[in-house]
Amino acid sequence: MPDLDRRALLRGMGVAGLGLLGAPLLASCGAADRTPLTAGPVGIRLWTHDPGYVTTFETAIGEPGLVGDSEFEFRLDVTNAAPPDIITRMITQAIADGNTPDLVGLVIDQFARVMGSSIAENLFVDLTDVVAPLGDELLKLAPYTVDGSPYSLDADNSITVFYFRQDLFADHGVPEDAATWEELAEHGERLSRDHEISLGVVSTGDNLAVANSFFQFFLQRGGQVFDAAGELALDSAEAVEVLEFMTEGVRSGFLLGLPDPYSSAAAAALKSGRLAAIAMPNWYNAYGLQANVPDQQGRWRMRTLPRFDAGGHLASTLGGTGFTVLKDKPGTAAALDLLSRVFLTREGQLLRYRSGGFLPTLRSLYRDPELVEVRDEYLGGQRVFDVYAPAAEDLPLFHQAPAMQILTDVLGGPVLDAVRGRTSPAAAIEAAIVAYREQVKR
């Protein structure tokens, strides 16, 4: 599509994606030099919300074994901002034909904002040919795929595992290898009644936190939020069943209702031993446990999730950040080269794990000798890839759609109503679906 046509389209879609935010910038930016760079020094404009990704890319461009044979000499020009600000500013700058990034990290729940109105198609490099040689090696492309084309590479597999206090489990006779959630719930109800100890959380805060809490269990149970075509798939027995599980868990005390699993209330529950287990992604080890209860090093372990009696997966997923290359820019080829080296090679994936703890997104890496031997001192020296490897093989697919954020908004309230006992789980799911259909006409 010619540049002028693309800019006209982007300006048009600004009404839906940005409202008035783009208006002031439309008058402030001029046309940029689009001559593509094919070799030599190049400054990559990197936008991200997480300093861990900055460290990763800065380390990568200093590794001769990773980038030494590239035609480019990489430098980084880094911009840090909050996830919603990154995507808003990126689209605004695109409308203004201004200084968009060459390489940008989009948090998974923000990526849905570029899935409609041909935004991804017009702004980003289609990675279909880039990932094709890898076959089914890449584990997590679905959330960043639009009309069959992938536009981002995830930085972390975000595998949900079950963290638990080994000392408290031993003290109170809770089996570490409980096969199912239902078996664990029996122990959890007993612990809550007798000792005010819970074995998991249900978020009771804002709509996003509540919906994410539901999605994590729902995906593990085998549900799909959207199907591969972007159609809402929430109308299912699994959705009602999972919400019944959450509701009953909070009622019995097996699951602790908390506004946010990263809040001060959660930290207090961890510190006091009130919360002795939690199902959360791999990154919760660093950002939740080690950040809030460093003195409990050696007491925590992790395992794969207990299964649901009725079936589903061994793992779930929550969160993620997809890295995307903007097309038709001077630095596009260089950014794509750097991204491919860091995200699609064994050496790059090992560097990402060593520099930021980001789990591999290539299937074979979970059996790599270097990673198999990794031991986590906080988790008592446990070999963590003994857990991650089987979980990665049974990770549920997660599809998004342009209206993902609308669904999150309309789902949070009904789910919370069910958890609070103000409505039934079946009625809550139905209410969310009706509200979604009223806002999203397909």
Side-chain angles (χ1 to χ4, degrees):
M1 178 182 289
D3 288 338
L4 286 177
D5 290 346
R6 183 167 61 250
R7 289 199 295 275
L9 174 62
L10 289 167
R11 288 187 176 102
M13 74 197 186
V15 174
L18 295 170
L20 296 176
L21 288 174
L25 291 173
L26 281 170
S28 65
C29 299
D33 181 3
R34 297 177 181 277
T35 304
L37 297 172
T38 57
V42 56
I44 303 292
R45 291 170 53 82
L46 170 65
W47 291 10
T48 177
H49 70 289
D50 188 339
Y53 297 128
V54 176
T55 301
T56 295
F57 281 106
E58 286 178 338
T59 304
I61 65 174
E63 287 286 339
L66 187 64
V67 301
D69 62 345
S70 173
E71 297 294 327
F72 299 100
E73 299 170 27
F74 301 106
R75 291 180 291 102
L76 292 179
D77 177 6
V78 177
T79 297
N80 284 119
D85 296 338
I86 285 178
I87 198 163
T88 299
R89 182 174 172 184
M90 178 189 67
I91 297 175
T92 304
Q93 291 285 14
I95 293 171
D97 200 19
N99 294 319
T100 53
D102 302 298
L103 181 61
V104 60
L106 302 176
V107 171
I108 193 167
D109 64 346
Q110 297 295 318
F111 186 84
R113 294 172 60 185
V114 302
M115 297 182 77
S117 303
S118 301
I119 301 178
E121 175 189 349
N122 282 283
L123 278 184
F124 303 150
V125 172
D126 182 341
L127 299 174
T128 300
D129 293 338
V130 176
V131 303
L134 295 166
D136 65 352
E137 261 285 88
L138 269 170
L139 288 162
K140 197 177 174 188
L141 281 177
Y144 309 103
T145 296
V146 183
D147 294 333
S149 297
Y151 290 97
S152 283
L153 299 179
D154 208 311
D156 190 324
N157 232 9
S158 302
I159 297 174
T160 299
V161 296
F162 187 67
Y163 296 102
F164 64 95
R165 281 278 300 271
Q166 189 178 47
D167 56 335
L168 293 180
F169 270 42
D171 290 347
H172 298 293
V174 182
E176 296 181 10
D177 59 350
T180 65
W181 281 114
E182 288 77 5
E183 177 185 352
L184 197 65
E186 294 181 7
H187 292 281
E189 184 172 0
R190 171 175 60 83
L191 261 61
S192 176
R193 181 185 64 242
D194 297 342
H195 305 285
E196 296 188 345
I197 293 175
S198 296
L199 302 181
V201 301
V202 167
S203 294
T204 57
D206 59 37
N207 285 335
L208 179 60
V210 173
N212 280 340
S213 185
F214 170 79
F215 290 150
Q216 188 170 236
F217 286 124
F218 181 50
L219 291 173
Q220 192 209 349
R221 175 61 188 89
Q224 284 285 308
V225 183
F226 293 96
D227 63 20
E231 296 291 341
L232 186 67
L234 196 61
D235 188 7
S236 69
E238 289 83 2
V240 176
E241 180 188 316
V242 163
L243 190 48
E244 288 173 343
F245 166 79
M246 294 168 60
T247 301
E248 176 58 24
V250 172
R251 186 206 62 77
S252 72
F254 159 52
L255 300 174
L256 184 62
L258 286 172
D260 186 337
Y262 323 107
S263 65
S264 57
L270 291 169
K271 288 177 181 176
S272 66
R274 172 78 174 82
L275 185 60
I278 188 168
M280 288 295 285
N282 53 287
W283 38 261
Y284 192 77
N285 182 358
Y287 296 113
L289 297 178
Q290 295 186 41
N292 287 311
V293 283
D295 57 315
Q296 292 179 9
Q297 176 170 337
R299 301 180 188 178
W300 287 87
R301 297 291 186 275
M302 72 176 196
R303 51 159 287 185
T304 53
L305 297 176
R307 290 186 184 274
F308 284 96
D309 260 345
H313 299 274
L314 192 59
S316 190
T317 183
L318 178 64
T321 298
F323 275 83
T324 300
V325 175
L326 277 79
K327 68 180 185 182
D328 300 337
K329 292 173 58 66
T332 292
L336 185 58
D337 185 31
L338 180 60
L339 179 65
S340 298
R341 290 169 185 273
V342 179
F343 278 60
L344 298 179
T345 66
R346 172 182 182 271
E347 293 73 19
Q349 296 239 334
L350 292 180
L351 181 147
R352 292 194 304 110
Y353 183 77
R354 288 195 297 264
S355 63
F358 305 115
L359 280 184
T361 53
L362 294 178
R363 188 183 306 276
S364 60
L365 267 293
Y366 286 83
R367 300 184 298 276
D368 189 278
E370 183 169 332
L371 293 180
V372 167
E373 294 302 323
V374 169
R375 294 181 182 273
D376 188 311
E377 293 307 316
Y378 185 82
L379 300 175
Q382 183 177 4
R383 289 194 352 163
V384 291
F385 277 82
D386 289 347
V387 178
Y388 290 140
E393 286 296 329
D394 197 16
L395 198 62
L397 281 176
F398 173 52
H399 299 285
Q400 296 202 87
M404 183 73 196
Q405 293 189 334
I406 292 177
L407 177 63
T408 298
D409 286 341
V410 301
L411 181 63
V415 166
L416 190 56
D417 282 343
V419 169
R420 296 295 194 199
R422 296 190 286 256
T423 189
S424 71
I429 297 298
E430 177 63 23
I433 293 171
V434 169
Y436 177 85
R437 300 289 187 209
E438 288 177 347
Q439 296 192 46
V440 181
K441 309 297 184 184
R442 294 181 62 90

